[in-house]
């Protein structure tokens, strides 16, 4: 043993031990700066630089591995990331043929699921059943969809048409005194009214329902200058928008009654967390009347927030609760069912399949 210890001292230069000792000090400093992103990340990056240097020298492997593990534990604790293991979720549906991962939507209504793919609607069905498929009329291609409080699926196609899928039948929707629907990128439904995100991502159009299959011409939801590109929207009585690019992201509420108001929504408790890699196809916000929390799908994770009030008109901030991470699963859409404090979350994509997990959200 004494010979081995002597060789260890000879073959591992003292500078590497000193570097790891300094890295450990930096990591301890980082634990005291978890609410200071401008200081936390530089401290963590200094530790990582030391790790890479020591790794390149191929020495002190056990110490390096322990330091890497401590960084991972600290980041997950600070980020409030819950990483699901295989036993934490179950498979709901596996696609038996090649289907594009986007556009793709999961819709849930009263324990029944429906999936919308480029070519058809699968379902509605109860998990455990074998669902039927319903091709979109005239070989049109799906571009966006939403579900209303009655379980009807509103579906837009590449031909700038909108259908309602109800009781396994597609019904075409018309506009009074207008030649056709505007080109749009997204749809939200509230009180049977249709809200469309304009093709330039700067305007949201509202169409009031006039009769069973007819809607009025558009009115503008945003009545002033929209400087940021709208990534996604949803409706809970007012209009939520998720805007920005890169790490410069923001949430906002637009109220139109009793007076027009654009209200920035502050995010509390986010700490060192930042959004990255935003793409409109896989970055979505879920705030509708079927949700108590606010969910954001971003960076292939589910981010959970609790609004500051249960009255949509009183919300001025939301509080970060945490993130759900599912290793090796691609998530391009999600849906949530509520039962008291318990949430059943459906998530996944045609490439990975659809899964469900249950979480409890209590006292934030």
């Amino acid at each position: 043993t004494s010979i081995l210890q002597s060789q260890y001292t000879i073959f591992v230069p003292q500078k590497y031990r000193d570097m790891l000792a300094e890295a450990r000090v930096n990591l301890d400093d980082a634990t005291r700066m978890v609410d200071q992103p401008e200081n936390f990340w530089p401290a963590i990056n200094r530790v990582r630089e030391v790790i890479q240097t020591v790794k390149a020298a191929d020495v002190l492997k056990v110490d390096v591995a322990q330091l890497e593990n401590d960084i991972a534990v600290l980041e997950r604790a600070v980020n409030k990331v819950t990483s699901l293991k295989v036993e934490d979720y179950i498979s709901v549906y596996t696609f038996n043929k090649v289907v594009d991962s986007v556009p793709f939507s999961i819709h849930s209504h009263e324990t029944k699921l429906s999936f919308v793919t480029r070519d058809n609607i699968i379902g509605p069905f109860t998990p455990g059943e074998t669902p039927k498929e319903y091709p979109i009329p005239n070989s049109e291609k799906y571009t966006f969809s939403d579900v209303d409080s009655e379980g009807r699926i509103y579906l837009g196609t590449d031909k700038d048409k909108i259908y309602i899928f109800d009781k396994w039948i597609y019904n075409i929707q018309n506009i009074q005194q207008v030649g056709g629907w505007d080109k749009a990128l997204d749809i939200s439904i509230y009180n049977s009214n249709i809200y469309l995100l304009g093709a330039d991502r700067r305007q949201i159009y509202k169409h009031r329902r006039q009769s069973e299959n007819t809607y009025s011409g558009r009115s503008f939801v945003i009545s002033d200058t929209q400087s940021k590109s709208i990534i996604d929207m949803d409706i809970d009585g007012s209009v939520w928008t998720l805007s920005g690019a890169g790490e410069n992201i923001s949430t906002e509420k637009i109220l139109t009654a009793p007076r027009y108001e654009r209200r920035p929504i502050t995010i509390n408790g986010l700490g060192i967390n930042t959004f990255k890699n935003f793409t409109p196809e896989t970055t979505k916000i879920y705030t509708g009347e079927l949700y108590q929390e606010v969910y954001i799908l971003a960076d292939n994770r589910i981010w959970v927030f609790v609004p500051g009030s249960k009255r949509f008109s009183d919300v001025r901030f939301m509080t970060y609760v945490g993130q759900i991470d599912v290793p090796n699963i691609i998530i391009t859409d999600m849906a949530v069912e509520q039962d008291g404090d318990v949430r059943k979350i459906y998530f996944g994509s045609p490439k990975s399949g659809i899964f469900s997990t249950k979480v409890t959200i209590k006292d934030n």
Side-chain angles (χ1 to χ4, degrees):
T1 303
S2 61
I3 292 174
L4 289 174
Q5 288 176 340
S6 175
Q7 290 178 334
Y8 183 79
T9 302
I10 293 171
F11 294 130
V12 180
Q14 182 64 36
K15 69 174 184 178
Y16 292 116
R17 294 193 190 85
D18 293 342
M19 289 173 69
L20 287 182
E22 184 178 354
R24 178 63 65 181
V25 171
N26 283 329
L27 190 60
D28 291 341
D29 290 341
T31 63
R32 292 187 288 272
M33 297 184 291
V34 293
D35 292 325
Q36 306 169 34
E38 69 279 7
N39 295 320
F40 179 87
W41 290 118
I44 291 294
N45 289 335
R46 285 194 294 272
V47 176
R48 287 203 173 102
E49 289 171 1
V50 169
I51 287 174
Q52 292 305 314
T53 301
V54 178
K55 270 187 170 182
D58 198 27
V59 295
L60 302 172
K61 294 180 180 179
V62 174
D63 300 295
V64 167
Q66 182 61 53
L67 199 57
E68 286 182 318
N69 182 68
D70 291 345
I71 289 176
V73 170
L74 175 61
E75 286 188 322
R76 287 195 174 276
V78 170
N79 291 340
K80 302 178 183 177
V81 175
T82 299
S83 189
L84 299 185
K85 303 180 180 66
V86 174
E87 58 268 26
D88 295 329
Y89 55 89
I90 62 173
S91 176
V92 174
Y93 186 80
T94 301
F95 292 83
N96 56 12
K97 58 184 178 182
V98 177
V99 178
D100 293 338
S101 287
V102 292
F104 170 72
S105 291
I106 303 172
H107 297 305
S108 173
H109 178 71
E110 295 182 349
T111 73
K112 288 189 177 294
L113 289 177
S114 299
F115 309 131
V116 188
T117 71
R118 179 76 77 177
D119 298 306
N120 56 33
I121 292 179
I122 302 172
F125 71 104
T126 300
E129 298 177 348
T130 300
K132 294 182 179 180
E133 298 185 11
Y134 300 88
I136 297 172
N138 307 315
S139 298
E140 295 174 32
K141 303 299 182 183
Y142 153 75
T143 54
F144 49 74
S145 64
D146 195 16
V147 64
D148 67 10
S149 58
E150 302 299 320
R152 296 181 293 251
I153 296 175
Y154 292 64
L155 180 145
T157 74
D158 61 340
K159 302 300 182 183
D160 300 324
K161 295 180 182 177
I162 293 179
Y163 296 88
I164 291 182
F165 181 74
D166 184 29
K167 296 181 175 63
W168 308 283
I169 297 174
Y170 289 93
N171 298 297
I172 188 73
Q173 304 302 295
N174 303 307
I175 309 178
Q176 286 183 344
Q177 301 174 345
V178 179
W181 297 94
D182 291 294
K183 288 187 178 297
L185 300 175
D186 195 13
I187 187 172
S188 289
I189 309 301
Y190 188 80
N191 281 346
S192 296
N193 297 321
I194 290 176
Y195 295 78
L196 296 176
L197 175 61
D200 63 353
R201 296 191 178 276
R202 293 290 192 275
Q203 183 57 262
I204 297 172
Y205 306 114
K206 179 180 179 179
H207 299 268
R208 294 184 180 276
R209 190 178 188 185
Q210 300 289 347
S211 61
E212 184 176 356
N213 296 317
T214 306
Y215 284 79
S216 67
R218 70 184 187 184
S219 61
F220 297 102
V221 171
I222 300 175
S223 61
D224 53 3
T225 301
Q226 170 66 19
S227 59
K228 292 184 179 180
S229 176
I230 298 173
I231 298 170
D232 196 31
M233 65 171 185
D234 208 350
I235 316 291
D236 66 353
S238 58
V239 179
W240 284 77
T241 63
L242 185 66
S243 301
E247 297 182 6
N248 184 23
I249 206 74
S250 62
T251 54
E252 188 175 42
K253 260 182 171 292
I254 301 174
L255 295 90
T256 56
R259 61 183 178 82
Y260 177 78
E261 178 185 356
R262 292 182 61 176
R263 179 186 300 168
I265 301 298
T266 304
I267 302 178
N268 294 331
L270 201 55
I272 64 170
N273 292 281
T274 55
F275 296 111
K276 304 181 182 74
N277 305 319
F278 269 97
T279 56
E281 292 81 9
T282 56
T283 303
K284 303 176 182 179
I285 186 169
Y286 307 84
T287 65
E289 54 188 334
L290 301 178
Y291 298 96
Q292 282 190 3
E293 293 77 38
V294 174
Y295 298 85
I296 295 178
L297 177 60
D299 301 330
N300 205 48
R301 285 179 174 171
I302 298 169
W303 301 58
V304 188
F305 305 85
V306 174
S309 173
K310 292 184 178 180
R311 284 171 51 92
F312 72 83
S313 58
D314 293 339
V315 175
R316 296 184 178 277
F317 67 89
M318 59 185 184
T319 301
Y320 171 70
V321 174
Q323 300 168 49
I324 299 173
D325 175 41
V326 192
N328 304 316
I329 300 295
I330 296 173
I331 305 174
T332 57
D333 201 29
M334 59 167 283
V336 179
E337 291 178 1
Q338 296 186 178
D339 184 10
D341 293 331
V342 178
R343 309 286 182 266
K344 178 179 280 189
I345 302 179
Y346 297 98
F347 59 88
S349 66
K351 186 172 183 179
S352 295
I354 310 303
F355 305 88
S356 73
T357 189
K358 287 185 178 180
V359 300
T360 300
I361 299 177
K362 200 168 186 178
D363 299 329
N364 288 9

